[in-house]
Amino acid sequence: MTSPDDKRRTIRDVAKAAGVSISTASNALNGIGRTNAETREKVKRIADELGFRPNALARGLLTKRSHAIGMLTNDTYGRLTLPMAAGVSEILVDHGVSLFLCATNNDPRLAKLHIDALLDRQVDGIIFTATRIDLEPPPELLKLRIPVIYAFAQGPSDSVSFHPDDAQGARIAVQHLQTLGRSRILHITGEQNYLAARIRADAYRELAGSYGQVMFGEWSEEWGHSAIDAVYSRSAPKPDAIFCGSDEIARGVIDALRDRGISIPDDVAVVGFDNWEVVSRQTRPPLTTIDMELKELGHRAGLAILGLSRGEKFEPGVVRLPCSLVARGSA
Amino acid sequence: MTSPDDKRRTIRDVAKAAGVSISTASNALNGIGRTNAETREKVKRIADELGFRPNALARGLLTKRSHAIGMLTNDTYGRLTLPMAAGVSEILVDHGVSLFLCATNNDPRLAKLHIDALLDRQVDGIIFTATRIDLEPPPELLKLRIPVIYAFAQGPSDSVSFHPDDAQGARIAVQHLQTLGRSRILHITGEQNYLAARIRADAYRELAGSYGQVMFGEWSEEWGHSAIDAVYSRSAPKPDAIFCGSDEIARGVIDALRDRGISIPDDVAVVGFDNWEVVSRQTRPPLTTIDMELKELGHRAGLAILGLSRGEKFEPGVVRLPCSLVARGSA
DNA sequence: TGTTTTTGATAAAACCTTTTATCTCCTATA
DNA sequence: TATAGGAGATAAAAGGTTTTATCAAAAACA
């Protein structure tokens, strides 16, 4: 005598308890085929009573759809990746699809290992995410039989990628400052070999007028500091607003300005980029900044991979999702 | 005529190409049963040439081991969770086990949804992680047939949990300050209703001597600020060192001390807690702080769940993993 | 030479579902 | 009345693997 909870119930148990065949039980539960409404209800009720849940492995083996997708990411500390993963997950769970998380640490060998494992598990698709747009995805991804979506990363030309609209984000930042009456707007940003930094800088230049000037440097608070030191140690006319390439840079900028007794936003207005709340909420004053809507980006990527895995077609190319401005005290 | 890469190769293809039966192919590939060394090599070679990889669904269906485990987490912004997930993943990938990531957003309904999905997929085990130790895990976890590990979270008494050793972490912080010759050490920390905060505070009190004083507040930079304001607006003797409950608090403390022209570490030494590099590397001076070794915690949790899923036994209870001190400029 | 072991290989069952093809009743039509 | 058609149910195949039981041939033994 074994206890009733000893092992999982199978559809065979349900069928036997309902006094029908396995196929009838399956049809009834899935609501397909020709089934009498009465038996259908009975089977469903009994399945419920027994706590029956179909074995996803068996189902996937037969239907060739595992209802799982893989997400490849190259970072571990996750300021960019995790919001996206949360967005993806939110969409998937609503569709009964689970998410494999694979951290590749930028190691091609590890990436291959993970991709193989995902294929072995018959995932319905793969989302590749990166910490910067212009990062090469692992070559193994290019020739798969399953769909691949690139989020915050650049896929090959016939693939579909989702990026934040960096140019639009830069524009709304500059326009916000101009609406506040600022005309001498400086742009302090990160490394020039980041595509996103160049796109933002270009968009900024289009609007900034003759005063416009871009200072490339690093993605660090320290660089924000030293950039301000540089600006105020030269004789050129001083800015009345600064658009920063990241919240961290903005934090350094704000700290440096405060050290000089410059009032924010009265003397100089500051706008950041990222809306990384742990930074942007903690500056004094709190930082007005650009939000890349990473969770929404995850939503879109999730919907896309679901659609593709069902055979829907998507226009190849880069989809740029609009950024939004979060107004706080600094501008 | 279909192209050779049209679909995945099955073991049947390998068997046919090698001129052996399916069972022989299986035995050869897995190195079990009685197989001639020569045929074994041949089968392996041909499987390799064909790029054969076994279907994990079929294998899991039969062996009842899916070689996948689920990780339940309640946060989305991931400062604590993601390093742990990376640690777990590192261990698992070495053992050919994949990781389902489930973000529950602290929503019990969502947690149940995810747990059910994991069970349907026949995961070999579940790791529950949280953002604070004293957070109730979802009740569904308590009565599963598969093993559950609690990481950074408190399971029932017969379960196995992994926590950072908060008491030891607090002790090495205080001892470090004392080694530097400081005797008036203050403890500024977060909310008292966090168990971790209370444990650290208790350990601190044991060592701090008569000057010892704990200021509970919030886990924010702002609280660090206002705590310093409070300390310096009263007439009591001033501290020569401050042990902070988080790096964010420490950052607020350092900024406030600098505003007052107090030199760090000469006048006041500061130690943080978390080693959240984006904060601790950016303070001026850089922050000496306690690292909870979250990745190592992930390693241990991963090894534990692997062991349990193979039927090994683990002593129930809480395993406390030692923290380490990272010396930078502030103390 | 006849019998028992050992070796190597295989057929078939099993895992749990879904789906196709079949089958049995009934009812409606000619 | 004979036949066609439809409703409802089912047996069986399929999916890809592992494993058990079986089998044939070669080797070892008496």
Side-chain angles (χ1 to χ4, degrees):
Chain A
M1 281 283 291
T2 56
S3 101
D5 295 314
D6 211 355
K7 36 182 8 196
R8 281 182 79 107
R9 304 328 196 112
T10 74
I11 198 170
R12 156 176 275 110
D13 300 325
V14 176
K16 186 178 293 180
V20 299
S21 74
I22 293 182
S23 5
T24 306
S26 175
N27 282 340
L29 290 172
N30 297 319
I32 57 176
R34 288 183 300 226
T35 24
N36 186 328
E38 201 177 330
T39 44
R40 189 161 52 237
E41 288 317 310
K42 182 179 182 191
V43 169
K44 280 185 176 169
R45 182 173 51 75
I46 290 187
D48 227 38
E49 284 171 16
L50 259 48
F52 166 74
R53 311 215 80 219
N55 182 323
L57 264 39
R59 171 180 277 174
L61 179 57
L62 198 50
T63 61
K64 309 246 172 241
R65 304 206 60 237
S66 65
H67 293 276
I69 76 128
M71 179 162 161
L72 240 48
T73 169
N74 65 351
D75 74 326
T76 53
Y77 99 103
R79 146 172 153 223
L80 295 167
T81 294
L82 217 78
M84 281 193 280
V88 170
S89 177
E90 269 182 22
I91 292 293
L92 296 190
V93 74
D94 280 346
H95 293 76
V97 172
S98 296
L99 182 66
F100 282 114
L101 183 75
C102 305
T104 67
N105 293 332
N106 268 326
D107 174 352
R109 189 194 60 88
L110 205 52
K112 175 157 173 35
L113 212 60
H114 272 128
I115 291 173
D116 282 344
L118 289 174
L119 294 176
D120 293 351
R121 296 194 154 70
Q122 320 287 118
V123 291
D124 300 331
I126 293 181
I127 297 179
F128 176 80
T129 70
T131 44
R132 55 182 288 195
I133 292 172
D134 43 348
L135 194 92
E136 284 291 316
E140 286 87 1
L141 279 182
L142 304 183
K143 34 176 194 191
L144 298 184
R145 259 188 316 281
I146 58 173
V148 179
I149 288 280
Y150 298 81
F152 218 94
Q154 184 74 269
S157 59
D158 60 340
S159 67
V160 8
S161 313
F162 291 91
H163 294 181
D165 191 338
D166 286 293
Q168 173 264 356
R171 279 195 298 271
I172 60 177
V174 175
Q175 283 161 353
H176 177 74
L177 291 168
Q178 288 172 334
T179 306
L180 297 175
R182 310 301 165 114
S183 57
R184 299 189 309 281
I185 306 173
L186 197 63
H187 184 34
I188 301 176
T189 187
E191 297 176 37
Q192 187 159 14
N193 63 7
Y194 275 59
L195 177 58
R198 296 198 299 276
I199 292 177
R200 294 176 199 165
D202 289 347
Y204 154 85
R205 281 201 198 89
E206 298 246 321
L207 296 178
S210 57
Y211 185 88
Q213 189 201 342
V214 178
M215 299 174 73
F216 288 103
E218 289 160 26
W219 297 111
S220 71
E221 214 171 310
E222 203 180 338
W223 159 238
H225 244 278
S226 49
I228 291 300
D229 288 348
V231 167
Y232 282 85
S233 64
R234 67 197 185 194
S235 58
K238 301 300 174 256
D240 58 6
I242 299 178
F243 167 40
C244 300
S246 79
D247 285 359
E248 285 179 273
I249 293 174
R251 165 134 213 188
V253 164
I254 287 179
D255 281 0
L257 290 174
R258 281 183 61 251
D259 282 356
R260 294 175 177 271
I262 297 171
S263 160
I264 305 165
D266 297 336
D267 299 335
V268 176
V270 177
V271 174
F273 209 106
D274 280 351
N275 193 27
W276 192 14
E277 303 220 339
V278 51
V279 176
S280 54
R281 282 187 181 282
Q282 298 293 340
T283 58
R284 288 175 299 156
L287 187 62
T288 294
T289 187
I290 304 298
D291 190 311
M292 290 190 282
E293 307 282 359
L294 292 175
K295 190 178 248 196
E296 173 63 14
L297 204 141
H299 286 165
R300 294 290 299 274
L303 286 172
I305 199 73
L306 280 178
L308 283 173
S309 76
R310 296 197 185 109
E312 296 168 20
K313 292 293 170 212
F314 279 72
E315 192 82 20
V318 177
V319 179
R320 295 184 194 282
L321 299 178
C323 305
S324 65
L325 184 133
V326 185
R328 294 201 180 92
S330 71
Chain B
M1 281 285 290
T2 55
S3 101
D5 295 315
D6 212 354
K7 34 182 12 194
R8 279 183 79 105
R9 304 331 197 106
T10 75
I11 198 172
R12 158 175 274 109
D13 300 325
V14 175
K16 187 178 294 178
V20 299
S21 74
I22 293 182
S23 5
T24 306
S26 175
N27 281 340
L29 290 172
N30 297 319
I32 59 177
R34 289 183 297 226
T35 25
N36 186 330
E38 197 177 333
T39 45
R40 190 162 52 236
E41 287 317 310
K42 181 179 182 191
V43 169
K44 279 185 177 170
R45 181 173 52 75
I46 290 187
D48 227 38
E49 285 171 15
L50 260 47
F52 166 75
R53 310 215 79 219
N55 182 323
L57 265 39
R59 171 180 278 174
L61 178 58
L62 196 51
T63 61
K64 311 244 174 246
R65 304 206 61 235
S66 64
H67 293 276
I69 77 128
M71 179 160 160
L72 242 47
T73 169
N74 65 352
D75 75 326
T76 52
Y77 98 103
R79 146 172 152 223
L80 295 167
T81 293
L82 218 77
M84 280 193 281
V88 170
S89 177
E90 270 181 22
I91 292 293
L92 296 190
V93 74
D94 279 347
H95 292 77
V97 171
S98 296
L99 182 66
F100 282 114
L101 182 76
C102 304
T104 67
N105 293 330
N106 267 324
D107 173 352
R109 188 193 60 85
L110 205 53
K112 174 157 172 36
L113 211 60
H114 272 127
I115 292 172
D116 282 343
L118 289 174
L119 294 176
D120 292 351
R121 297 195 153 71
Q122 320 287 119
V123 290
D124 300 331
I126 292 181
I127 297 180
F128 177 79
T129 70
T131 44
R132 52 183 289 195
I133 292 171
D134 43 347
L135 195 91
E136 283 291 317
E140 286 87 0
L141 279 182
L142 304 183
K143 32 173 195 193
L144 297 184
R145 259 188 316 280
I146 56 173
V148 179
I149 287 281
Y150 298 81
F152 218 94
Q154 185 73 269
S157 58
D158 60 340
S159 65
V160 9
S161 313
F162 291 91
H163 294 181
D165 191 338
D166 286 293
Q168 173 263 357
R171 278 195 299 270
I172 59 176
V174 175
Q175 283 161 351
H176 177 74
L177 291 168
Q178 289 171 334
T179 306
L180 297 175
R182 309 301 165 114
S183 58
R184 299 189 307 282
I185 305 175
L186 197 62
H187 184 34
I188 301 177
T189 187
E191 297 175 38
Q192 187 159 14
N193 62 8
Y194 276 59
L195 178 57
R198 297 197 299 276
I199 293 177
R200 294 176 199 165
D202 288 347
Y204 154 84
R205 281 201 199 89
E206 297 247 320
L207 296 179
S210 58
Y211 186 88
Q213 188 200 343
V214 178
M215 299 173 75
F216 287 103
E218 290 159 24
W219 298 109
S220 71
E221 212 171 309
E222 203 179 338
W223 159 239
H225 244 278
S226 49
I228 291 300
D229 288 348
V231 168
Y232 282 84
S233 65
R234 65 196 186 196
S235 58
K238 302 299 175 257
D240 58 7
I242 301 178
F243 167 39
C244 300
S246 78
D247 285 358
E248 284 180 273
I249 293 173
R251 165 135 211 186
V253 163
I254 286 180
D255 282 359
L257 291 174
R258 282 183 60 251
D259 283 356
R260 293 174 179 273
I262 296 170
S263 161
I264 304 164
D266 296 338
D267 299 337
V268 177
V270 177
V271 174
F273 209 106
D274 280 351
N275 194 27
W276 191 15
E277 302 219 340
V278 52
V279 177
S280 53
R281 283 188 182 282
Q282 297 293 339
T283 58
R284 287 173 299 158
L287 187 62
T288 294
T289 187
I290 304 298
D291 190 311
M292 291 190 280
E293 306 281 358
L294 293 175
K295 190 178 247 196
E296 173 63 13
L297 203 141
H299 286 165
R300 294 290 300 271
L303 286 172
I305 199 72
L306 280 178
L308 283 172
S309 76
R310 297 197 184 110
E312 296 168 21
K313 293 293 170 212
F314 278 72
E315 192 84 19
V318 177
V319 178
R320 294 183 197 282
L321 300 179
C323 305
S324 66
L325 185 133
V326 185
R328 295 201 181 91
S330 70

